[in-house]
Amino acid sequence: MFERPKSGERALLIHPEFGKSINSSDTEEFRLLAHSAGADEIGIITYTRPKPESRFLIGHGKVDELVELVKAEKIELLLFNHELSPSQERNIEKACRCRVLDRTGLILDIFAQRARSYEGKLQVELAQLKFISTRLIRGWTHLERQKGGIGLRGPGETQLETDRRLLAQRVKHLERRLQKVRKQREQSRHARKKNAVPTVALVGYTNAGKSTLFNRLTESNVYQADQLFATLDPTLRKLELNKALHIVLADTVGFIRNLPHDLVDAFHATLQETCEADLLLHVVDASSELRNDHIEQVNQVLKQIGAEDRPQLLVFNKIDQAQQIPHIDIGDQGQVKRVWVSALKDQGMNLLNSALLQYFASKHTQATIHLPLEQTELRALLYEENAILSETFNPEGLWEIEASLNNSLKERFSAYLYTPTTDKSIEHEADFFAQSE
């Protein structure tokens, strides 16, 4: 029998590498994760081995060193920057007599602290339960299997089996609740698609400044902080690019290398906004030396959730820390490839707005509509969609409306189009490129 030690804040960080040298960027990111969880870091130890050891991961000799260090420094928690099997975690805890947590458990703990919404709490709890389902340890034995003799007959199952059964029931209960949340989100997405409202999702490596950018664009007050996974809960806001064109902007959870699979599965309802977005704003920390690596890590997660085919616009944020000026990089075909901004300092936001206009304006056509007076519902629909640019009453007794029509509205009003103009964007490209110079 083994009682798991009570947790504490005094933590020793252990970063093992197998078959390669220690990467300082991985070590620094691990320390940031520990600090985000609220750990009181005593120190960090790095190990290199040709391959993992089956019982302790890092080998018997290193565990003996840890035992002495834990006693000397009164360490309460060992954090491993590596995935531990349930047996490895238990073996290290037995030897060191303190709590042991691997990288996945650490990220789950941070998520549990950050979740605020009903949906976010459900998602985090589901991920935690799936994670601990293989790590249940019998810590008490007064409920035993049936034994012979008076007074020794138990209920027929161990406490460990009871815990597993109750945990499985709770997992099914949470999955049913999240299924309802998914249906609600699908209904919202269906309504937006029906009304032809484009959705733009902010994605990027954690702490790249997505929430700051989201607040700056939408004039919202979403929680933002200079820490990993500052916000978890998805937030959607309407963003008017100009009088005739508005979109829905979605702020999503930040990504990180080796994102636990259970988290990806649990946050499926949230990440579905990313999978079905019309455009992804891939936010990158321009001041980071690892920005190219972070871009690759985000693309890997996007592939993992099935969003790799979504069109992307790279937004290099924090240019004030990278000694850059706001500007736009244009591709060979005249499309915007990268926008350099500082959301915190409000630099280059007009360029980002123009880039979004250029992208979505190409999907709209400016046309003249001659609408009979009795078609009040159709006229109301144009107002509801903010599609009317100007409106007059012509001598023929018809409403003469200049409107910006997306493909859906253009088809709906095809019978009332009057000598439609050639496809021209809401904003002239000449004006757009003049702003980017």
Side-chain angles (χ1 to χ4, degrees):
M1 185 184 72
F2 170 52
E3 287 278 4
R4 299 195 76 174
K6 295 182 179 180
S7 185
E9 305 299 328
R10 289 175 58 83
L12 177 66
L13 280 55
I14 299 132
H15 178 85
E17 285 288 1
F18 302 100
K20 60 180 181 179
S21 60
I22 299 294
N23 189 325
S24 60
S25 62
D26 290 347
T27 303
E28 185 59 30
E29 181 180 272
F30 181 47
R31 296 182 68 180
L32 289 174
L33 282 172
H35 295 165
S36 296
D40 180 12
E41 181 188 340
I42 303 303
I44 184 167
I45 299 175
T46 58
Y47 292 137
T48 57
R49 283 178 59 91
K51 60 180 181 180
E53 196 264 342
S54 59
R55 186 178 180 187
F56 291 111
L57 182 78
I58 57 176
H60 292 261
K62 295 299 182 183
V63 170
D64 291 340
E65 293 178 12
L66 283 179
V67 171
E68 297 300 323
L69 192 57
V70 166
K71 291 180 180 179
E73 299 293 335
K74 297 181 180 179
I75 293 169
E76 301 168 314
L77 178 64
L78 295 177
L79 297 176
F80 280 76
N81 192 22
H82 198 278
E83 185 174 346
L84 295 172
S85 69
S87 62
Q88 289 171 342
E89 185 177 299
R90 288 194 294 268
N91 291 336
I92 298 172
E93 283 189 348
K94 283 182 180 180
C96 297
R97 292 293 168 178
C98 70
R99 288 283 294 190
V100 173
L101 204 60
D102 66 1
R103 179 185 176 88
T104 300
L106 179 61
I107 294 176
L108 284 171
D109 184 80
I110 297 172
F111 273 45
Q113 295 180 43
R114 302 286 192 269
R116 293 291 181 269
S117 70
Y118 170 75
E119 177 187 0
K121 292 177 181 178
L122 287 179
Q123 292 169 328
V124 171
E125 184 181 354
L126 178 60
Q128 285 180 317
L129 291 179
K130 288 184 175 181
F131 176 70
I132 67 173
S133 62
T134 58
R135 287 166 163 78
L136 293 177
I137 299 174
R138 183 181 61 183
W140 47 298
T141 57
H142 73 266
L143 294 178
E144 286 290 357
R145 291 187 180 278
Q146 290 179 351
K147 297 180 180 179
I150 297 175
L152 296 177
R153 293 177 177 85
E157 65 179 349
T158 65
Q159 180 62 32
L160 182 59
E161 290 169 336
T162 303
D163 290 343
R164 284 176 175 162
R165 175 167 50 81
L166 294 175
L167 188 146
Q169 292 174 357
R170 180 62 178 170
V171 167
K172 290 181 180 179
H173 178 67
L174 291 174
E175 288 177 339
R176 287 195 296 268
R177 285 187 175 183
L178 281 173
Q179 185 61 35
K180 292 182 180 179
V181 173
R182 292 191 183 104
K183 289 182 179 179
Q184 292 171 353
R185 286 192 171 275
E186 287 173 1
Q187 291 173 351
S188 298
R189 283 192 293 268
H190 179 73
R192 292 199 299 268
K193 288 182 179 180
K194 184 178 180 180
N195 294 327
V197 179
T199 300
V200 177
L202 291 171
V203 299
Y205 209 76
T206 183
N207 206 29
K210 296 184 302 301
S211 296
T212 305
L213 183 66
F214 181 86
N215 287 339
R216 184 67 68 180
L217 285 171
T218 62
E219 298 181 356
S220 301
N221 193 29
V222 172
Y223 177 74
Q224 60 191 52
D226 186 15
Q227 58 183 198
L228 302 186
F229 301 119
T231 53
L232 287 183
D233 302 318
T235 308
L236 282 75
R237 293 287 187 275
K238 179 181 176 181
L239 172 61
E240 292 189 3
L241 298 178
N242 67 7
K243 180 181 177 182
L245 179 59
H246 64 271
I247 63 176
V248 171
L249 195 64
D251 189 15
T252 61
V253 62
F255 298 151
I256 197 171
R257 62 168 56 88
N258 302 323
L259 192 66
H261 292 287
D262 285 340
L263 274 181
V264 175
D265 293 339
F267 278 74
H268 181 270
T270 300
L271 297 174
Q272 195 66 25
E273 294 289 349
T274 301
C275 298
E276 300 191 14
D278 297 280
L279 177 67
L280 301 181
L281 285 188
H282 186 161
V283 184
V284 183
D285 184 353
S287 65
S288 173
E289 297 178 356
L290 302 173
R291 65 191 188 194
N292 291 331
D293 178 57
H294 291 172
I295 292 173
E296 179 60 28
Q297 294 293 332
V298 171
N299 287 332
Q300 288 182 13
V301 177
L302 290 175
K303 184 176 182 180
Q304 185 179 352
I305 65 176
E308 71 274 14
D309 61 339
R310 297 288 86 191
Q312 286 189 29
L313 173 61
L314 285 171
V315 180
F316 283 82
N317 191 25
K318 302 185 181 182
I319 60 171
D320 54 307
Q321 301 178 23
Q323 307 303 318
Q324 293 275 353
I325 61 172
H327 65 281
I328 287 179
D329 294 336
I330 305 296
D332 297 335
Q333 305 299 322
Q335 79 282 8
V336 178
K337 293 182 62 177
R338 291 176 290 271
V339 185
W340 299 74
V341 304
S342 171
L344 184 64
K345 302 294 184 181
D346 196 16
Q347 298 174 356
M349 303 308 294
N350 60 326
L351 299 181
L352 179 56
N353 192 81
S354 297
L356 291 171
L357 264 175
Q358 187 206 33
Y359 181 83
F360 289 107
S362 62
K363 303 180 182 298
H364 287 67
T365 299
Q366 186 172 319
T368 302
I369 299 173
H370 281 182
L371 200 62
L373 296 182
E374 62 270 17
Q375 295 294 345
T376 55
E377 291 186 2
L378 290 179
R379 180 168 170 262
L381 175 62
L382 291 174
Y383 272 103
E384 182 180 341
E385 294 295 327
N386 292 322
I388 295 180
L389 301 176
S390 64
E391 181 184 53
T392 58
F393 190 68
N394 68 13
E396 300 175 3
L398 301 172
W399 289 109
E400 185 170 310
I401 302 172
E402 284 290 322
S404 172
L405 306 178
N406 56 36
N407 293 334
S408 176
L409 286 176
K410 187 176 180 180
E411 183 178 352
R412 181 78 177 270
F413 287 87
S414 58
Y416 304 102
L417 294 180
Y418 175 75
T419 59
T421 59
T422 57
D423 291 352
K424 65 177 181 179
S425 300
I426 300 173
E427 297 285 340
H428 294 293
E429 289 190 13
D431 295 337
F432 169 74
F433 290 115
Q435 294 182 59
S436 64
E437 293 179 355

